[in-house]
Amino acid sequence: MEFEKHIIDKITELSGLMRETVENAVEIPPEKKLGDLAFPCFVLAKTMRKAPPAIAKELAEKIGSDEYIDRVEAVGGYVNFFYRRDVFSKTVLSAIKSAGENWGSSDIGKGRTVLVEFSSPNIAKPFHIGHLFSTAIGNSLEKIYRHLGYQTVKINHLGDWGTQFGKLISAYKRWGNKEVIDKDPINELLKIYVKFHNEAEKDPSLEDEARMYFKMLEDGDEETTALWQYFRDISLIEFERVYNMLGVSFDSYAGESFYSDKMQEVVDLLDNMQLLSDSENAKVVNLSDCNIPPCIIVKSDGATIYATRDLAAAIYRKRTYDFHKNIYVVGTPQALHFKQIFSVLDKMGYEWAKDCVHVGFGLVKFADKKLSTRHGDVVFLEDVLNESIQKTLEIVSKNSPSMENKEEVAQKIGIGAILYAFLKSSRERDIVFSWDDMLDFEGESAPYVQYSYARGRSILRRTDIDYLNADVSKITSDDEYALVSLLAGFEDAVRDAADKNEPFYVTRYVTNLARAFNKFYNSYPILKNDVDEETKKARLLLVDAVTQVIKTALALLGIETVESM
RNA sequence: GCGCCCAUAGCUCAGUUGGAUAGAGUGUUUGGCUACGAACCAAAAGGUCGCAGGUUCGAAUCCUGCUGGGCGUACCA
C-alpha cells in the first residue's frame, strides 16, 4: 500500500535507521482512534540515548503533514500517523473497483506450484463429520494460494489400501451380502467392519486372516482385487455426493493404491543407500539421530505400510509436479508420522524435504463419547449438512415466504454455516461437536456474513443511480472510514492465511468486515430522500466495494453468497 | 516413562517478531422495527491471562519448575 510505503520512506529518511528496521517496526495501532499506522520508538532509545516519548515527539514534529498524511501525533513512545481520509478512500475504492474479484490477490506465487493433499477419506467407511475438518481447510487453502498467484493441485489421497482392506475382505467373506450392500453400501460395509472388530476381540486369529488377505491383495490375487475394486467404486459414488454438496473438487484421486506399484523403488532406494536396518523382522529406517522413533518401511509379513506409501507419493509428486510446497492437511495426531516421513526424505538427500509441510488440525469430539469408526459411533457428514439445510429452509420460509428459490438459498446458507464452524478458529483446536453450535446462525457465523452481503446487494438493486464516478472524498466519518481501511487490509489477511496455512485469518477478516458494514448500515442512510446526491453516490460505491470483497473472501473459504435470503 | 500440544470473561475463541487501557462472539440485563432487510444495531455487567519464580524499561507472549487436560509413542491409517 502506497500510504504505508510513503510513511516508511519518511521515517527512514529522518531517523537514519535501516529501511528494513523501520519496515519491521511499523504496526497497525490496536485502536482505530490511535491512527492508521504507528511507529514505536523504543528501538531508537538505546542508540539515541533518549527516552522514547521524547524521540516520538521530535520525530512527529519533523514529519508533519503532507499530501498523504493528515496529521502525526506522538503518544507515549509511539508516533501515530493519520492518513488523509479523502485521499485514502479514493485510492482504495478505485483500486477495488478496477481489481474486481482480484482484489486482495497477488503474484507472489507466480510460476510456483503448491500441492494440497486434503480430505482423504477411507474407502468403505462413512464420510463422517471429522472428515470435514481436512476437507474445509484444504479446500480453502487451495483457493487462498491460488488467489496469491500459485498454481495449485488438489489431491485426494484416498485411503484405499492397507490392512483395513484385509479386514474388510475377511468380513465380507464371512458375513457379506452383495444385494444388501448395494442398497446402502457405506452403512452395510460399516456394519460388517464393526462386526469384524468385535469378533476379533474374542478371536485374535481374525487379525492374522486380515493381514493375509491384504498380502494377497498386494500380490495381485484376482478375487481379492475384484472385491477391493468393488468397495472402492461404490464408496466413491457416495463420497462424490458429499463433495458436490460442499462444492469441493479434486485434481487427483491418486490415493494409496495408486502407489502400490511404486513402493518397491522406495524400498530399493533406501536399501542401496544403506538406510534400512532389520528390527524385529521388519525393515526400518533408524531415526535416533533425529530423536524420534524408527520409521517402519516393510512389515514383518513383507507387506508395506502407510509410511512407505507416503514416501513413494512424495517422490512421485516431486517428479510429476516439481512442487514449491507440498502440503498435507491431516490431523495433528499424525504429527510424528510426518516428522518421520520428512526426516527419511531428508536422509535420502532430497533437499525438497523442507518444502513438505504437515498442516495439522484438531479432533472433532463429542461431549460424551468418542468418535470411532471401529465401534460404529459416527455422525455422517451428509446428515449434518442436511440438518443444517433443513433448519435454514425453515428460517427462510418464515422470513421470506414469497421467495422463489428457497431450496437453493437454504443449500448455500446451510452448508456455509457448517463450513464456517470449522474455519472460524485456529485449526489445531479441537472441536466439540454440538448441534446447537453448528446450527447457531447468529453472531459469528456464515449466515451473519451472508446476511450482510444480501443487505448490501439489496440496496444496490433498488437504485439505478450511476455511482461509479462518485466523489468519495465525502467518505470521512469514523464508521465509513473504518470500512475503507478494512477493505484495504484484505490482501494482508490473505497473505497471513497462506503464511500460516490458517484459513481462519480470512474468516476473521470477513466477519470483521461484515460487522463494520452492519454498523455502517444501521446508522448511515444511503437511499433516503434527505441524503444529498453526492453522498448517496459515494456510499453506494462503498456498499458496492464491501459486497464485492465479502463475496471474494467467502469464496476463499469455499462459502457461497446469495443475493437475498 | 519419553515426546508434542493446550490452559485467557459463565461458555466458545482472538490476541502478529515481547509494546499503548487484554478483545470478539455467545449467554445475562436493558434499549431500538411506521426505518435502505431485526439472521441486525446500541448499551451495561463480566478477567489474579492455570500456579510459582526468572529475564526485561516493558511479559498473556520468552525461560525454568509445578498443577491440570489432550494427543502420540513401530508392524492400523
Side-chain angles (χ1 to χ4, degrees), chain A residues 4-31:
Chain A
E4 189 172 338
K5 191 170 163 290
H6 171 72
I7 288 170
I8 290 170
D9 285 344
K10 275 204 144 179
I11 299 173
T12 308
E13 192 190 320
L14 293 169
S15 68
L17 288 168
M18 302 279 291
R19 192 168 194 285
E20 209 188 327
T21 313
V22 179
E23 256 172 21
N24 286 332
V26 292
E27 58 190 40
I28 292 166
E31 275 182 88

PDB file of all heavy atoms in Angstrom, chain A residues 4-31:
ATOM      1  N   GLU A   4       1.511   3.367   3.337  1.00  0.00           N
ATOM      2  CA  GLU A   4       2.440   2.786   4.291  1.00  0.00           C
ATOM      3  C   GLU A   4       3.882   2.975   3.807  1.00  0.00           C
ATOM      4  O   GLU A   4       4.766   3.351   4.574  1.00  0.00           O
ATOM      5  CB  GLU A   4       2.115   1.294   4.461  1.00  0.00           C
ATOM      6  CG  GLU A   4       2.877   0.644   5.583  1.00  0.00           C
ATOM      7  CD  GLU A   4       2.386  -0.790   5.840  1.00  0.00           C
ATOM      8  OE1 GLU A   4       1.239  -1.108   5.462  1.00  0.00           O
ATOM      9  OE2 GLU A   4       3.163  -1.564   6.405  1.00  0.00           O
ATOM     10  N   LYS A   5       4.065   2.732   2.530  1.00  0.00           N
ATOM     11  CA  LYS A   5       5.391   2.850   1.942  1.00  0.00           C
ATOM     12  C   LYS A   5       5.913   4.280   2.077  1.00  0.00           C
ATOM     13  O   LYS A   5       7.072   4.509   2.431  1.00  0.00           O
ATOM     14  CB  LYS A   5       5.303   2.461   0.458  1.00  0.00           C
ATOM     15  CG  LYS A   5       6.627   2.290  -0.221  1.00  0.00           C
ATOM     16  CD  LYS A   5       6.427   1.664  -1.599  1.00  0.00           C
ATOM     17  CE  LYS A   5       7.645   1.849  -2.467  1.00  0.00           C
ATOM     18  NZ  LYS A   5       7.859   3.249  -2.889  1.00  0.00           N
ATOM     19  N   HIS A   6       5.032   5.210   1.819  1.00  0.00           N
ATOM     20  CA  HIS A   6       5.389   6.622   1.902  1.00  0.00           C
ATOM     21  C   HIS A   6       5.866   6.991   3.311  1.00  0.00           C
ATOM     22  O   HIS A   6       6.877   7.671   3.490  1.00  0.00           O
ATOM     23  CB  HIS A   6       4.155   7.459   1.527  1.00  0.00           C
ATOM     24  CG  HIS A   6       4.318   8.924   1.769  1.00  0.00           C
ATOM     25  ND1 HIS A   6       5.123   9.709   0.984  1.00  0.00           N
ATOM     26  CD2 HIS A   6       3.796   9.741   2.724  1.00  0.00           C
ATOM     27  CE1 HIS A   6       5.080  10.961   1.438  1.00  0.00           C
ATOM     28  NE2 HIS A   6       4.288  11.002   2.492  1.00  0.00           N
ATOM     29  N   ILE A   7       5.145   6.492   4.309  1.00  0.00           N
ATOM     30  CA  ILE A   7       5.499   6.806   5.687  1.00  0.00           C
ATOM     31  C   ILE A   7       6.804   6.118   6.087  1.00  0.00           C
ATOM     32  O   ILE A   7       7.658   6.723   6.746  1.00  0.00           O
ATOM     33  CB  ILE A   7       4.337   6.420   6.630  1.00  0.00           C
ATOM     34  CG1 ILE A   7       3.194   7.421   6.436  1.00  0.00           C
ATOM     35  CG2 ILE A   7       4.784   6.417   8.081  1.00  0.00           C
ATOM     36  CD1 ILE A   7       1.903   7.045   7.099  1.00  0.00           C
ATOM     37  N   ILE A   8       6.972   4.896   5.655  1.00  0.00           N
ATOM     38  CA  ILE A   8       8.227   4.188   5.949  1.00  0.00           C
ATOM     39  C   ILE A   8       9.406   4.943   5.339  1.00  0.00           C
ATOM     40  O   ILE A   8      10.438   5.140   5.984  1.00  0.00           O
ATOM     41  CB  ILE A   8       8.167   2.735   5.411  1.00  0.00           C
ATOM     42  CG1 ILE A   8       7.173   1.911   6.243  1.00  0.00           C
ATOM     43  CG2 ILE A   8       9.546   2.085   5.453  1.00  0.00           C
ATOM     44  CD1 ILE A   8       6.848   0.555   5.667  1.00  0.00           C
ATOM     45  N   ASP A   9       9.235   5.423   4.114  1.00  0.00           N
ATOM     46  CA  ASP A   9      10.294   6.206   3.477  1.00  0.00           C
ATOM     47  C   ASP A   9      10.664   7.417   4.321  1.00  0.00           C
ATOM     48  O   ASP A   9      11.827   7.711   4.538  1.00  0.00           O
ATOM     49  CB  ASP A   9       9.834   6.692   2.086  1.00  0.00           C
ATOM     50  CG  ASP A   9       9.837   5.555   1.069  1.00  0.00           C
ATOM     51  OD1 ASP A   9      10.472   4.524   1.355  1.00  0.00           O
ATOM     52  OD2 ASP A   9       9.193   5.699   0.015  1.00  0.00           O
ATOM     53  N   LYS A  10       9.638   8.105   4.767  1.00  0.00           N
ATOM     54  CA  LYS A  10       9.877   9.329   5.541  1.00  0.00           C
ATOM     55  C   LYS A  10      10.593   9.031   6.857  1.00  0.00           C
ATOM     56  O   LYS A  10      11.523   9.743   7.242  1.00  0.00           O
ATOM     57  CB  LYS A  10       8.543  10.032   5.823  1.00  0.00           C
ATOM     58  CG  LYS A  10       8.111  10.945   4.687  1.00  0.00           C
ATOM     59  CD  LYS A  10       7.177  12.022   5.208  1.00  0.00           C
ATOM     60  CE  LYS A  10       7.409  13.335   4.495  1.00  0.00           C
ATOM     61  NZ  LYS A  10       6.497  14.399   4.961  1.00  0.00           N
ATOM     62  N   ILE A  11      10.127   8.002   7.552  1.00  0.00           N
ATOM     63  CA  ILE A  11      10.771   7.670   8.832  1.00  0.00           C
ATOM     64  C   ILE A  11      12.218   7.272   8.597  1.00  0.00           C
ATOM     65  O   ILE A  11      13.126   7.685   9.325  1.00  0.00           O
ATOM     66  CB  ILE A  11      10.022   6.510   9.540  1.00  0.00           C
ATOM     67  CG1 ILE A  11       8.582   6.896   9.847  1.00  0.00           C
ATOM     68  CG2 ILE A  11      10.740   6.143  10.840  1.00  0.00           C
ATOM     69  CD1 ILE A  11       7.734   5.755  10.380  1.00  0.00           C
ATOM     70  N   THR A  12      12.436   6.468   7.560  1.00  0.00           N
ATOM     71  CA  THR A  12      13.794   6.023   7.249  1.00  0.00           C
ATOM     72  C   THR A  12      14.708   7.218   7.029  1.00  0.00           C
ATOM     73  O   THR A  12      15.807   7.296   7.575  1.00  0.00           O
ATOM     74  CB  THR A  12      13.788   5.155   5.976  1.00  0.00           C
ATOM     75  OG1 THR A  12      12.821   4.123   6.125  1.00  0.00           O
ATOM     76  CG2 THR A  12      15.143   4.536   5.728  1.00  0.00           C
ATOM     77  N   GLU A  13      14.204   8.145   6.251  1.00  0.00           N
ATOM     78  CA  GLU A  13      14.992   9.322   5.909  1.00  0.00           C
ATOM     79  C   GLU A  13      15.336  10.151   7.148  1.00  0.00           C
ATOM     80  O   GLU A  13      16.474  10.568   7.338  1.00  0.00           O
ATOM     81  CB  GLU A  13      14.158  10.160   4.932  1.00  0.00           C
ATOM     82  CG  GLU A  13      14.897  11.274   4.251  1.00  0.00           C
ATOM     83  CD  GLU A  13      13.899  12.172   3.515  1.00  0.00           C
ATOM     84  OE1 GLU A  13      12.945  11.626   2.913  1.00  0.00           O
ATOM     85  OE2 GLU A  13      14.064  13.398   3.580  1.00  0.00           O
ATOM     86  N   LEU A  14      14.350  10.326   8.005  1.00  0.00           N
ATOM     87  CA  LEU A  14      14.547  11.228   9.142  1.00  0.00           C
ATOM     88  C   LEU A  14      15.180  10.576  10.369  1.00  0.00           C
ATOM     89  O   LEU A  14      15.761  11.255  11.203  1.00  0.00           O
ATOM     90  CB  LEU A  14      13.210  11.861   9.540  1.00  0.00           C
ATOM     91  CG  LEU A  14      12.629  12.818   8.498  1.00  0.00           C
ATOM     92  CD1 LEU A  14      11.207  13.177   8.834  1.00  0.00           C
ATOM     93  CD2 LEU A  14      13.494  14.076   8.400  1.00  0.00           C
ATOM     94  N   SER A  15      15.061   9.259  10.484  1.00  0.00           N
ATOM     95  CA  SER A  15      15.580   8.609  11.690  1.00  0.00           C
ATOM     96  C   SER A  15      16.999   8.089  11.502  1.00  0.00           C
ATOM     97  O   SER A  15      17.719   7.858  12.462  1.00  0.00           O
ATOM     98  CB  SER A  15      14.678   7.447  12.081  1.00  0.00           C
ATOM     99  OG  SER A  15      14.789   6.419  11.113  1.00  0.00           O
ATOM    100  N   GLY A  16      17.386   7.885  10.245  1.00  0.00           N
ATOM    101  CA  GLY A  16      18.699   7.321   9.998  1.00  0.00           C
ATOM    102  C   GLY A  16      18.749   5.823  10.219  1.00  0.00           C
ATOM    103  O   GLY A  16      19.814   5.214  10.181  1.00  0.00           O
ATOM    104  N   LEU A  17      17.591   5.209  10.437  1.00  0.00           N
ATOM    105  CA  LEU A  17      17.550   3.754  10.611  1.00  0.00           C
ATOM    106  C   LEU A  17      17.578   3.068   9.256  1.00  0.00           C
ATOM    107  O   LEU A  17      17.315   3.691   8.222  1.00  0.00           O
ATOM    108  CB  LEU A  17      16.265   3.344  11.340  1.00  0.00           C
ATOM    109  CG  LEU A  17      16.170   3.677  12.828  1.00  0.00           C
ATOM    110  CD1 LEU A  17      14.737   3.461  13.300  1.00  0.00           C
ATOM    111  CD2 LEU A  17      17.120   2.808  13.644  1.00  0.00           C
ATOM    112  N   MET A  18      17.882   1.761   9.258  1.00  0.00           N
ATOM    113  CA  MET A  18      17.804   0.979   8.033  1.00  0.00           C
ATOM    114  C   MET A  18      16.332   0.877   7.634  1.00  0.00           C
ATOM    115  O   MET A  18      15.464   0.764   8.501  1.00  0.00           O
ATOM    116  CB  MET A  18      18.318  -0.450   8.261  1.00  0.00           C
ATOM    117  CG  MET A  18      19.732  -0.535   8.768  1.00  0.00           C
ATOM    118  SD  MET A  18      20.909  -0.355   7.422  1.00  0.00           S
ATOM    119  CE  MET A  18      20.625  -1.902   6.555  1.00  0.00           C
ATOM    120  N   ARG A  19      16.080   0.887   6.324  1.00  0.00           N
ATOM    121  CA  ARG A  19      14.697   0.819   5.869  1.00  0.00           C
ATOM    122  C   ARG A  19      14.009  -0.443   6.389  1.00  0.00           C
ATOM    123  O   ARG A  19      12.853  -0.426   6.789  1.00  0.00           O
ATOM    124  CB  ARG A  19      14.667   0.826   4.338  1.00  0.00           C
ATOM    125  CG  ARG A  19      13.287   1.059   3.788  1.00  0.00           C
ATOM    126  CD  ARG A  19      13.300   1.363   2.315  1.00  0.00           C
ATOM    127  NE  ARG A  19      11.999   1.901   1.921  1.00  0.00           N
ATOM    128  CZ  ARG A  19      10.903   1.177   1.772  1.00  0.00           C
ATOM    129  NH1 ARG A  19      10.945  -0.103   1.992  1.00  0.00           N
ATOM    130  NH2 ARG A  19       9.753   1.747   1.424  1.00  0.00           N
ATOM    131  N   GLU A  20      14.768  -1.528   6.376  1.00  0.00           N
ATOM    132  CA  GLU A  20      14.222  -2.803   6.816  1.00  0.00           C
ATOM    133  C   GLU A  20      13.783  -2.745   8.282  1.00  0.00           C
ATOM    134  O   GLU A  20      12.739  -3.285   8.656  1.00  0.00           O
ATOM    135  CB  GLU A  20      15.290  -3.884   6.636  1.00  0.00           C
ATOM    136  CG  GLU A  20      14.719  -5.247   6.382  1.00  0.00           C
ATOM    137  CD  GLU A  20      15.811  -6.309   6.401  1.00  0.00           C
ATOM    138  OE1 GLU A  20      16.945  -6.017   5.993  1.00  0.00           O
ATOM    139  OE2 GLU A  20      15.504  -7.429   6.844  1.00  0.00           O
ATOM    140  N   THR A  21      14.583  -2.086   9.091  1.00  0.00           N
ATOM    141  CA  THR A  21      14.262  -1.955  10.511  1.00  0.00           C
ATOM    142  C   THR A  21      12.941  -1.223  10.680  1.00  0.00           C
ATOM    143  O   THR A  21      12.085  -1.616  11.475  1.00  0.00           O
ATOM    144  CB  THR A  21      15.363  -1.160  11.239  1.00  0.00           C
ATOM    145  OG1 THR A  21      16.632  -1.671  10.840  1.00  0.00           O
ATOM    146  CG2 THR A  21      15.201  -1.253  12.737  1.00  0.00           C
ATOM    147  N   VAL A  22      12.795  -0.156   9.930  1.00  0.00           N
ATOM    148  CA  VAL A  22      11.560   0.627  10.020  1.00  0.00           C
ATOM    149  C   VAL A  22      10.370  -0.206   9.551  1.00  0.00           C
ATOM    150  O   VAL A  22       9.320  -0.242  10.184  1.00  0.00           O
ATOM    151  CB  VAL A  22      11.670   1.921   9.177  1.00  0.00           C
ATOM    152  CG1 VAL A  22      10.381   2.722   9.251  1.00  0.00           C
ATOM    153  CG2 VAL A  22      12.851   2.760   9.654  1.00  0.00           C
ATOM    154  N   GLU A  23      10.571  -0.910   8.427  1.00  0.00           N
ATOM    155  CA  GLU A  23       9.506  -1.749   7.884  1.00  0.00           C
ATOM    156  C   GLU A  23       8.995  -2.753   8.922  1.00  0.00           C
ATOM    157  O   GLU A  23       7.797  -2.969   9.056  1.00  0.00           O
ATOM    158  CB  GLU A  23      10.025  -2.533   6.675  1.00  0.00           C
ATOM    159  CG  GLU A  23       9.547  -1.978   5.358  1.00  0.00           C
ATOM    160  CD  GLU A  23      10.236  -2.663   4.181  1.00  0.00           C
ATOM    161  OE1 GLU A  23      10.743  -3.781   4.344  1.00  0.00           O
ATOM    162  OE2 GLU A  23      10.263  -2.053   3.103  1.00  0.00           O
ATOM    163  N   ASN A  24       9.938  -3.341   9.621  1.00  0.00           N
ATOM    164  CA  ASN A  24       9.551  -4.337  10.617  1.00  0.00           C
ATOM    165  C   ASN A  24       8.901  -3.718  11.844  1.00  0.00           C
ATOM    166  O   ASN A  24       8.107  -4.347  12.519  1.00  0.00           O
ATOM    167  CB  ASN A  24      10.772  -5.151  11.065  1.00  0.00           C
ATOM    168  CG  ASN A  24      11.201  -6.124   9.988  1.00  0.00           C
ATOM    169  OD1 ASN A  24      10.393  -6.571   9.179  1.00  0.00           O
ATOM    170  ND2 ASN A  24      12.479  -6.428   9.952  1.00  0.00           N
ATOM    171  N   ALA A  25       9.284  -2.483  12.116  1.00  0.00           N
ATOM    172  CA  ALA A  25       8.802  -1.850  13.346  1.00  0.00           C
ATOM    173  C   ALA A  25       7.388  -1.279  13.214  1.00  0.00           C
ATOM    174  O   ALA A  25       6.609  -1.346  14.156  1.00  0.00           O
ATOM    175  CB  ALA A  25       9.766  -0.752  13.781  1.00  0.00           C
ATOM    176  N   VAL A  26       7.055  -0.747  12.041  1.00  0.00           N
ATOM    177  CA  VAL A  26       5.743  -0.105  11.927  1.00  0.00           C
ATOM    178  C   VAL A  26       4.635  -1.120  12.157  1.00  0.00           C
ATOM    179  O   VAL A  26       4.760  -2.292  11.803  1.00  0.00           O
ATOM    180  CB  VAL A  26       5.507   0.588  10.565  1.00  0.00           C
ATOM    181  CG1 VAL A  26       6.404   1.795  10.411  1.00  0.00           C
ATOM    182  CG2 VAL A  26       5.652  -0.377   9.427  1.00  0.00           C
ATOM    183  N   GLU A  27       3.582  -0.660  12.771  1.00  0.00           N
ATOM    184  CA  GLU A  27       2.478  -1.562  13.083  1.00  0.00           C
ATOM    185  C   GLU A  27       1.153  -0.831  13.009  1.00  0.00           C
ATOM    186  O   GLU A  27       1.111   0.396  12.978  1.00  0.00           O
ATOM    187  CB  GLU A  27       2.671  -2.157  14.474  1.00  0.00           C
ATOM    188  CG  GLU A  27       2.767  -1.092  15.555  1.00  0.00           C
ATOM    189  CD  GLU A  27       3.194  -1.663  16.897  1.00  0.00           C
ATOM    190  OE1 GLU A  27       4.067  -2.546  16.915  1.00  0.00           O
ATOM    191  OE2 GLU A  27       2.654  -1.222  17.922  1.00  0.00           O
ATOM    192  N   ILE A  28       0.104  -1.628  12.974  1.00  0.00           N
ATOM    193  CA  ILE A  28      -1.218  -1.031  12.968  1.00  0.00           C
ATOM    194  C   ILE A  28      -1.660  -0.895  14.418  1.00  0.00           C
ATOM    195  O   ILE A  28      -1.622  -1.864  15.173  1.00  0.00           O
ATOM    196  CB  ILE A  28      -2.188  -1.887  12.145  1.00  0.00           C
ATOM    197  CG1 ILE A  28      -1.780  -1.808  10.666  1.00  0.00           C
ATOM    198  CG2 ILE A  28      -3.624  -1.399  12.326  1.00  0.00           C
ATOM    199  CD1 ILE A  28      -2.422  -2.827   9.781  1.00  0.00           C
ATOM    200  N   PRO A  29      -2.043   0.314  14.825  1.00  0.00           N
ATOM    201  CA  PRO A  29      -2.409   0.538  16.229  1.00  0.00           C
ATOM    202  C   PRO A  29      -3.578  -0.351  16.646  1.00  0.00           C
ATOM    203  O   PRO A  29      -4.414  -0.702  15.817  1.00  0.00           O
ATOM    204  CB  PRO A  29      -2.819   2.009  16.263  1.00  0.00           C
ATOM    205  CG  PRO A  29      -2.211   2.612  15.060  1.00  0.00           C
ATOM    206  CD  PRO A  29      -2.171   1.536  14.037  1.00  0.00           C
ATOM    207  N   PRO A  30      -3.618  -0.687  17.922  1.00  0.00           N
ATOM    208  CA  PRO A  30      -4.689  -1.572  18.400  1.00  0.00           C
ATOM    209  C   PRO A  30      -6.074  -0.941  18.285  1.00  0.00           C
ATOM    210  O   PRO A  30      -7.067  -1.643  18.183  1.00  0.00           O
ATOM    211  CB  PRO A  30      -4.322  -1.831  19.853  1.00  0.00           C
ATOM    212  CG  PRO A  30      -3.395  -0.733  20.235  1.00  0.00           C
ATOM    213  CD  PRO A  30      -2.694  -0.321  18.995  1.00  0.00           C
ATOM    214  N   GLU A  31      -6.109   0.372  18.302  1.00  0.00           N
ATOM    215  CA  GLU A  31      -7.409   1.025  18.176  1.00  0.00           C
ATOM    216  C   GLU A  31      -7.384   2.040  17.055  1.00  0.00           C
ATOM    217  O   GLU A  31      -6.390   2.730  16.838  1.00  0.00           O
ATOM    218  CB  GLU A  31      -7.777   1.732  19.484  1.00  0.00           C
ATOM    219  CG  GLU A  31      -8.440   0.817  20.483  1.00  0.00           C
ATOM    220  CD  GLU A  31      -8.823   1.576  21.727  1.00  0.00           C
ATOM    221  OE1 GLU A  31      -9.934   2.125  21.744  1.00  0.00           O
ATOM    222  OE2 GLU A  31      -7.993   1.650  22.647  1.00  0.00           O
TER     223      GLU A  31
END
